[in-house]
Amino acid sequence: MYPIQRNRRLRSSPSLRALVQEHKLSADDFIVPLFIIEGKQKREKIPSMPGYLRITLDLIPEHVKNLWSLGLKSVLIFVKISEKLKDNKGSEALNSGGLMHSAIKKVKDAVPDMVVMTDVALDPYSSYGHDGIVEKGKIINDKTVAVLSKMALSHAEVGADVVAPSDMMDGRILKIRQLLESENYQDTVIMSYSAKYSSGFYGPFRDALDSAPGFGDKKTYQMDFGNRKEAIVEAKRDIDEGADIIMIKPGIAYLDIIRDLKENITAPLAAYQVSGEYAMLKAAAERGWLDHDQIMMEQLLSFKRAGASMIASYFAEEAVKLI
Ligand code: PBG
């Protein structure tokens, strides 16, 4: 009771505040998304993601060595493939000489200890821009899962440490886990996007990868953002099916979901601060309306406070330079 207790006592100097701070950010917390394109010596700007680049395969070694020197220990690979390689089944996703597989090898050759995570979903390979196979205007679950499991195995075969299915098909974790086990990839980690909401925040990412759905939306597979309990159900099922890490996405608008999962499951949680969140801060900072670095650090730390063990973020490189 006041004045015996004064809340401001422990806030009275920077050193005291540092001693009592409950949550901290470090380079260990980050997953760095990479956008890989075909060609040579190209760094392409993404208009809706200022400061973030798509890079060609040959630039990977230099890029990941730089990330490693900053203390960043994990990358999450996405690829943008040419339109002519796309079809309804995502055939190119299984091409062991394709862009994704080459990118995995490039990272591993350059920095063997870098944790390589890969996106497992059909949308960058789909002529329809959907995460699954389309028949009569519907996304067909089980046929898609059959392709996804082969895709995940093919990533593990060329060196991926973590496969990250972001497609939201039912039962894909079980099929991926069974196939990995049967092919002796016991140590391949599955990071499941268990709670992935159908969200407007993915817009800039779809620009970056040219992966916007050609018809309709993703509401028959991604979650309704009015729901909380469903996230717990999804995560528990994925853990039962063999997932090791549970991803929540998008990030800042979904901190309640991170906290719900923290309280209901024990698997490590990953938060994805998605492209739209990145774009909003960049845009506001460009206009001088928000202090970029301050908001960036505040948002990133709030993921930790909510309960995330790791954060996939386009700000990773900028943030570690400030830590
Ligand atoms: C698709 C996928 C998306 C993102 C990651 N994987 C977009 C979508 O579901 O349409 C979004 C990431 C971001 O916005 O930063 N499998």
Side-chain angles (χ1 to χ4, degrees), residues 49-223:
M49 297 182 71
Y52 221 72
L53 300 170
R54 292 181 284 236
I55 62 167
T56 48
L57 268 183
D58 55 334
L59 296 176
I60 288 180
E62 176 194 334
H63 188 60
V64 295
K65 280 180 191 162
N66 178 49
L67 296 176
W68 187 257
S69 73
L70 293 169
L72 292 162
K73 297 172 189 68
S74 107
V75 293
L76 175 56
I77 306 176
F78 296 94
V79 293
K80 176 176 186 275
I81 69 163
S82 74
E83 213 54 43
K84 62 179 191 296
L85 293 174
K86 298 184 183 182
D87 63 21
N88 185 24
K89 286 186 181 159
S91 312
E92 176 64 15
L94 303 180
N95 175 6
S96 61
L99 198 52
M100 173 60 91
H101 302 78
S102 308
I104 297 167
K105 287 189 243 172
K106 280 269 183 216
V107 178
K108 276 289 167 192
D109 285 348
V111 186
D113 292 332
M114 182 72 86
V115 175
V116 174
M117 306 184 165
T118 61
D119 187 58
V120 176
L122 297 190
D123 52 320
Y125 304 93
S126 159
S127 41
Y128 291 104
H130 273 289
D131 291 32
I133 295 170
V134 178
E135 283 174 13
K136 297 193 184 116
K138 289 198 163 140
I139 316 304
I140 308 300
N141 194 87
D142 298 4
K143 283 186 185 171
T144 301
V145 169
V147 180
L148 293 173
S149 49
K150 287 186 202 145
M151 183 179 177
L153 173 65
S154 74
H155 294 175
E157 282 170 345
V158 293
D161 303 292
V162 180
V163 291
S166 66
D167 56 289
M168 291 299 282
M169 297 300 121
D170 289 332
R172 88 273 207 219
I173 302 301
L174 181 64
K175 294 292 177 197
I176 292 171
R177 178 56 75 209
Q178 285 173 336
L179 189 59
L180 288 171
E181 283 293 320
S182 72
E183 298 294 324
N184 284 318
Y185 287 93
Q186 292 91 342
D187 290 337
T188 303
V189 171
I190 302 178
M191 177 166 75
S192 176
Y193 290 70
S194 299
K196 177 170 178 181
Y197 286 86
S198 176
S199 168
F201 284 105
Y202 308 146
F205 173 95
R206 294 175 186 174
D207 297 341
L209 294 193
D210 185 25
S211 64
F215 69 89
D217 52 38
K218 298 192 175 184
K219 290 186 192 301
T220 69
Y221 44 108
Q222 299 179 348
M223 285 169 55

Side-chain angles (χ1 to χ4, degrees), residues 247-268:
M247 174 85 99
I248 297 100
K249 178 180 178 189
I252 285 293
Y254 295 79
L255 294 181
D256 56 328
I257 307 300
I258 298 176
R259 175 49 50 178
D260 279 347
L261 293 184
K262 183 75 183 168
E263 283 167 1
N264 282 281
I265 61 172
T266 54

